[in-house]
Amino acid sequence: MTPEQDELSESEEEYIEALYHMYEEGKASVKTSELAERLGVSPASVTEMLKDSLTKKNLVEYVPYRGASLTSLGREVAARVVRRHRIAERLLTDVAGVNWDECHEEACKLEHALSDEVADKLAASLKNPETCPHGNIIPPPTGEIKGEVGRPLISFNPPLKVRVVRIIKEKRDVLRRLASLGIMPGVELKLIRRAPAGGPVIVDSGCLQVAMGRELAEVIMAVPVDGE
């Protein structure tokens, strides 16, 4: 990696981190409008960043009107950012006692300050956790996605029993809502019914039944329970 590629701004890191998250979600190529919505910026700002910065550093391949994707180098660099973030989340929850709905925002600040070497030492001191508190995989420095990635809860056809493996789009209000329902990684849910025309999904956690809107069901990644 060249010095120029190694010295990314926080903004550049946030862009490739967002692309990596969407790559984890199965999107090989991301439209400018999708990336703008994810980052909360204008499509024009996204286009400028992709064309004037990230493609020149060989981190992103960008085709106007079609979308952007991480190069192999970009995936490796982004994986290190994501790795630092998720290790920081583990440090905050496992050592500092920060709630799982608060650690994401705090880790966003730490990820840019930590070096890869310090992150690796923190991981070792935490006994090398495989996932963050929300179940998302802590990637190796090379960027491969290993482990269970799951499918959105909304994509399964009831009746079916599934196990929650991770929560994507870790917004505080979403995580707080899921925690109040007892829905966290490792929890088994029984899908009772899915209403037509984008209606709610009815799930049973064993403690209660709840009608879950599509927006919430889309951020819960799950796998079928063995035998189902």
Side-chain angles (χ1 to χ4, degrees):
M1 185 178 299
T2 67
E4 182 182 26
Q5 290 162 341
D6 196 36
E7 296 172 3
L8 298 179
S9 68
E10 287 189 14
S11 180
E12 289 170 329
E13 287 189 345
E14 287 169 1
Y15 270 79
I16 62 173
E17 185 180 12
L19 284 169
Y20 187 90
H21 289 160
M22 298 170 92
Y23 164 68
E24 283 184 308
E25 295 163 23
K27 296 181 179 179
S29 183
V30 178
K31 294 180 180 179
T32 302
S33 58
E34 292 177 311
L35 189 54
E37 182 179 358
R38 177 68 64 99
L39 292 167
V41 299
S42 70
S45 296
V46 171
T47 300
E48 182 180 357
M49 174 65 79
L50 294 173
K51 291 175 61 177
D52 297 343
S53 178
L54 298 179
T55 55
K56 291 180 179 179
K57 294 184 178 182
N58 192 31
L59 299 174
V60 167
E61 291 180 356
Y62 170 63
V63 180
Y65 307 109
R66 293 185 63 183
S69 60
L70 292 167
T71 63
S72 57
L73 175 62
R75 198 156 50 244
E76 181 180 334
V77 175
R80 291 207 302 271
V81 179
V82 172
R83 177 177 171 81
R84 296 196 303 265
H85 177 95
R86 292 176 180 169
I87 290 171
E89 286 185 324
R90 273 293 173 196
L91 176 70
L92 290 165
T93 56
D94 296 1
V95 178
V98 176
N99 291 334
W100 90 314
D101 59 310
E102 299 175 345
C103 67
H104 174 73
E105 294 176 10
E106 293 298 325
C108 285
K109 305 169 189 175
L110 291 175
E111 69 187 44
H112 304 296
L114 289 175
S115 68
D116 294 332
E117 292 77 12
V118 169
D120 287 342
K121 289 180 180 179
L122 287 173
S125 70
L126 294 167
K127 299 183 179 179
N128 294 308
E130 296 182 355
T131 66
C132 79
H134 313 111
N136 293 300
I137 298 161
I138 297 175
T142 49
E144 299 98 341
I145 295 177
K146 298 179 179 180
E148 293 179 315
V149 294
R151 288 166 42 197
L153 188 65
I154 195 70
S155 70
F156 292 98
N157 292 318
L160 183 70
K161 184 179 287 187
V162 300
R163 176 170 50 83
V164 177
V165 293
R166 63 194 186 104
I167 309 299
I168 59 175
K169 301 177 184 177
E170 304 149 307
K171 295 182 179 179
R172 180 177 295 192
D173 58 337
V174 171
L175 295 172
R176 190 167 292 168
R177 170 64 173 157
L178 290 174
S180 72
L181 297 172
I183 298 175
M184 306 175 83
V187 168
E188 292 186 359
L189 301 173
K190 186 174 182 180
L191 277 66
I192 306 298
R193 185 168 60 88
R194 187 175 64 190
V201 177
I202 311 299
V203 300
D204 188 332
S205 66
C207 298
L208 74 164
Q209 284 193 13
V210 60
M212 185 182 301
R214 184 181 186 91
E215 185 175 348
L216 188 60
E218 285 179 339
V219 307
I220 301 169
M221 306 297 281
V223 295
V225 172
D226 289 344
E228 290 290 320

